[in-house]
């Protein structure tokens, strides 16, 4: 069974990449991430295959932003 990252429920792609949803959309527009797929069976959530995303991260580690330190205004 294929595992997916989503932008709606856990596990989320934004958590994996330490980015906001707009940041994920920017990466998609730049062509650094796949478009994702909508799944009517899962409430039309945008889904990204985990294996594909992990392969992209391995090729381009810059996709994952460093975690913000506590006290950075967040």
């Amino acid at each position: 069974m294929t595992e997916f990252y989503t932008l709606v429920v856990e596990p989320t792609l934004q958590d994996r990449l330490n980015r906001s949803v707009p940041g994920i959309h920017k990466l998609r527009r730049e062509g650094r991430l796949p478009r994702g797929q909508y799944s009517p069976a899962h409430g039309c959530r945008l889904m990204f295959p985990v294996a594909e995303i992990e392969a992209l991260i391995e090729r381009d580690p810059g996709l994952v932003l460093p975690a913000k330190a506590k006290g950075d205004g967040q």
Side-chain angles (χ1 to χ4, degrees), residues 16-39:
R16 176 63 179 99
L17 301 180
N18 294 323
R19 293 177 183 266
S20 64
V21 171
I24 298 295
H25 290 301
K26 181 180 179 201
L27 290 175
R28 288 173 52 208
R29 282 192 309 274
E30 292 172 352
R32 293 177 66 193
L33 288 177
R35 296 292 304 169
Q37 63 188 38
Y38 288 97
S39 172

Side-chain angles (χ1 to χ4, degrees), residues 4-58:
F4 293 95
Y5 288 123
T6 69
L7 289 180
V8 179
V9 297
E10 298 296 334
T12 65
L13 186 58
Q14 63 189 34
D15 291 339
R16 176 63 179 99
L17 301 180
N18 294 323
R19 293 177 183 266
S20 64
V21 171
I24 298 295
H25 290 301
K26 181 180 179 201
L27 290 175
R28 288 173 52 208
R29 282 192 309 274
E30 292 172 352
R32 293 177 66 193
L33 288 177
R35 296 292 304 169
Q37 63 188 38
Y38 288 97
S39 172
H42 292 93
C44 294
R45 296 180 184 128
L46 192 59
M47 302 170 72
F48 300 86
V50 169
E52 185 176 349
I53 295 299
E54 293 301 324
L56 288 170
I57 291 170
E58 192 171 314

Side-chain angles (χ1 to χ4, degrees), residues 57-68:
I57 291 170
E58 192 171 314
R59 286 193 303 267
D60 183 4
L63 289 172
V64 180
L65 294 179
K68 291 185 178 185

